[in-house]
Amino acid sequence: MQDTLFYIFSALTLLCGILVVFNPFSRNPVTSAMFLVLTIISMSGLFVLLKAFFLAAVQILVYAGAVIVLFLFVIMLLDVKEEERRRFQKFGTFMGLISVIGLAAIIINTTNQTFTIANQSEVQSIKETFNQSGAAETKPLGKLLFTEYVLPFEIVSLLLLVAMVGCILLSKRNTSKEEAK
Amino acid sequence: MNIDLEQFLIVSIILFCIGLLGVVVRRNLIVMYMGLELMLNAANLALVSFSHFRDNLDGQILVFFIITVAAAEVAVGLALIVALYRKRQTTDVNELTSMKL
């Protein structure tokens, strides 16, 4: 059952990821954003399979709820018609495809070799601990977040404040300076 | 469950490469940003699967922080794109070649 779910979710993630980048039917950024939502939701399904329930919820809330809405607002502010008229540059696409496929082949090969070389008994022991554990992990996650990682947590909240101030500063029309000119 | 760490890592690698392809090939700034999001998500998937198969929660904490930083990054980046569009009326990187606005 879990294997089938893994294959369904990963196929959905990869398919929608490809459709974000190369959609043969539409060049519209809105379509890309919608497929990004599907990618993120199926990836949160993978998180559930990995027993990271809290992160699955956060993934859907933050990405599908906030980031994609932000993308859609910005796409509405800009001109999408221009993008639809553009074609792919053949040479650039071809070279990009070759180099990225080469990179993927190298990394996958390295991963395979690592798993072949790795000590089999160690892999076995990891599998055993994995089969024993299975409790809900949200409570220990919260405990860890508010004890050991409380300083990074506060720093991240400061980062969010800085991002908010930066956004307001960047998107505000600079009227006083233009009047002075 | 017969699925190993290796299968999750391969999904994550392929997703990362799709995101990289989006950044390299597409010329629209917004779609390039979506490629960046895909790459960050791939890294998150790798970290969560490491954390699960080692039975250690530190990876999940790191993913939590990555999601927060990615949200902040997207907000600032999209504000920059809007500011750029106001000046130059385009989001195509082929036309944004001069540093002077």
Side-chain angles (χ1 to χ4, degrees), chain A residues 5 9 16 27-28 51 64 68 74 86 88 93-94 122 162-163 171-172 176 179 181:
Chain A
L5 279 179
F9 280 132
C16 295
R27 304 289 315 281
N28 198 327
K51 296 201 176 68
I68 300 297
V74 171
R86 279 177 198 287
F88 281 116
T93 311
F94 183 65
E122 191 185 350
V162 170
S171 49
K172 162 171 89 78
S176 59
E179 279 168 12
K181 277 178 190 171

Side-chain angles (χ1 to χ4, degrees), chain A residues 2-4 6-7 127 130, chain B residues 1-8 53:
Chain A
Q2 280 188 325
D3 290 11
T4 329
F6 169 78
Y7 287 120
K127 271 185 193 165
F130 152 61
Chain B
M1 185 156 121
N2 296 319
I3 301 298
D4 260 347
L5 175 59
E6 194 178 353
Q7 273 85 359
F8 279 101
F53 286 96

Side-chain angles (χ1 to χ4, degrees), chain A residues 2-70:
Chain A
Q2 280 188 325
D3 290 11
T4 329
L5 279 179
F6 169 78
Y7 287 120
I8 290 173
F9 280 132
S10 51
L12 208 59
T13 308
L14 294 180
L15 188 72
C16 295
I18 289 173
L19 285 176
V20 170
V21 174
F22 284 117
N23 197 332
F25 305 111
S26 150
R27 304 289 315 281
N28 198 327
V30 178
T31 328
S32 295
M34 287 307 162
F35 278 113
L36 191 58
V37 175
L38 276 181
T39 314
I40 280 157
I41 289 174
S42 44
M43 182 171 283
S44 78
L46 285 180
F47 282 5
V48 170
L49 282 184
L50 287 169
K51 296 201 176 68
F53 305 113
F54 176 68
L55 284 179
V58 164
Q59 178 95 350
I60 288 185
L61 281 178
V62 172
Y63 273 105
V67 170
I68 300 297
V69 172
L70 208 60

Side-chain angles (χ1 to χ4, degrees), chain B residues 14-47:
Chain B
I14 295 174
L15 195 68
F16 184 86
C17 289
I18 290 170
L20 185 62
L21 193 65
V23 175
V24 170
V25 168
R26 293 298 291 262
R27 300 286 80 173
N28 188 330
L29 269 178
I30 297 180
V31 183
M32 286 168 80
Y33 247 78
M34 290 179 196
L36 281 183
E37 290 306 304
L38 281 183
M39 286 156 81
L40 278 169
N41 268 306
N44 283 352
L45 181 61
L47 280 170

Side-chain angles (χ1 to χ4, degrees), chain A residues 82-148:
Chain A
E82 189 199 5
E83 163 73 9
E84 283 186 51
R85 275 185 259 112
R86 279 177 198 287
R87 308 306 313 160
F88 281 116
Q89 306 143 301
K90 295 244 162 47
F91 183 69
T93 311
F94 183 65
M95 294 313 277
L97 207 61
I98 285 182
S99 48
V100 169
I101 286 176
L103 181 70
I106 290 172
I107 308 178
I108 288 176
N109 194 18
T110 317
T111 319
N112 270 332
Q113 279 183 355
T114 315
F115 277 87
T116 337
I117 295 169
N119 193 352
Q120 289 301 320
S121 63
E122 191 185 350
V123 172
Q124 203 58 42
S125 73
I126 288 173
K127 271 185 193 165
E128 276 160 17
T129 54
F130 152 61
N131 284 333
Q132 283 161 5
S133 74
E137 283 175 339
T138 306
K139 198 174 169 184
L141 191 71
K143 268 186 186 159
L144 205 59
L145 191 60
F146 285 105
T147 53
E148 199 177 333

